[in-house]
Amino acid sequence: MLTLLNLLRDGRFHSGQALGAALGVSRSAIWKQLQQLEAEYGLPIYKVRGRGYRLQSPLSLLDSSELNGRSAPWPHEVFESLDSTNAEVMRRLSAGGVPPFAVTAERQSQGRGRRGRRWVSPYAQNLYYSLALRIDGGARQLEGLSLVVGLAVLDTLRAFGLMSVGLKWPNDLLVGSRKIAGVLLELVGDPADICHVVVGIGINVNMQVAAEEIDQPWTSMQRESAELVDRNALVNRLSASLSAYLARHKSEGFSALREEWEAAHLWQGRAVNLIAGVQQIHGRVMGIDATGALRLSVDGEERAYSGGELSLRLSDDS
Ligand code: BTN
């Protein structure tokens, strides 16, 4: 079926006869495979009498050889399908895998988002990327780490011409009020000693059709630029940006990147509600501190908040 997908990925028409000849099967076998492709991969296929079959839009498929070139900062493995790339990296770490290494998948059946949410992960449209890192500098090396990852993703999106993207604390990437990418860090081991961090990154790349399951306003790179994005080039740029930002974070600490982060923060100075479980704190965003914690002015007093379960919303009087 993947051979058939490869033939169709240009988004052009292919006759049943040509497809059958390329695969060495009958036209009716092609018809069956096309139906399977549609059902299993969720890829709409158009059939036009006299012209043949084509995908709704062209696909940019991940190619392991392009992702493991000479300039790749770490080895990279591509999967057709996974439950979650973060889960796969965790399995590899517990089986003795040596970081750094990265994993991507064309689709995820149980993509994980922050705060227990689901990350909708349709086939070959977006980027589902996880990187395994070893942290051996104790808790200090974790300070601001997830925000630094956000900066690397931002740098990557800007390199692809998306200049209107910004950050929302702690590590969402938005265009206006629409989410284009998210970051989920998961920790394995003892943060005070040697531990591993799984850096999970989801970027909406070529997704155009509103997936009903997505429960928040979203956009994608293709929606913003009206162009099909080469996902291999995107992964290579993301790895390079991550490598550069992580090296800087390791040698100089988060305080060296704090100003850059604040300059890209879309909600600087805005009135917000910080949601922590059932509790809501109303305040104005002042920025972040040297550890990456959010600084809010609450009732005229400055307070700092950090923690993976917090979520920020704009308040009506913003
Ligand atoms: C968020 O909620 O904003 C974080 C989303 C993170 C999604 C990515 S996709 C690759 C990696 N694997 C997962 O299961 N989740 C992360």
Side-chain angles (χ1 to χ4, degrees), residues 13-84:
F13 277 109
H14 297 261
S15 71
Q17 196 176 12
L19 292 172
L23 266 70
V25 297
S26 68
R27 280 166 65 174
S28 65
I30 287 291
W31 171 236
K32 267 194 202 139
Q33 281 198 32
L34 286 167
Q35 281 177 313
Q36 271 177 337
L37 207 62
E38 219 171 11
E40 198 178 305
Y41 290 81
L43 294 169
I45 292 166
Y46 291 113
K47 182 185 178 196
V48 174
R49 191 179 279 273
R51 299 191 73 185
Y53 307 95
R54 72 166 179 85
L55 290 175
Q56 186 178 40
S57 44
L59 288 181
S60 161
L61 296 173
L62 295 172
D63 179 343
S64 171
S65 63
E66 281 194 48
L67 303 181
N68 285 289
R70 277 161 160 254
S71 53
W74 37 68
H76 195 115
E77 189 152 356
V78 180
F79 287 80
E80 268 306 294
S81 184
L82 281 175
D83 49 354
S84 144

Side-chain angles (χ1 to χ4, degrees), residues 139-159:
R140 190 177 164 270
Q141 230 186 290
L142 291 168
E143 277 175 8
L145 182 63
S146 76
L147 280 75
V148 171
V149 172
L151 274 177
V153 179
L154 181 70
D155 178 63
T156 304
L157 294 176
R158 285 184 174 163

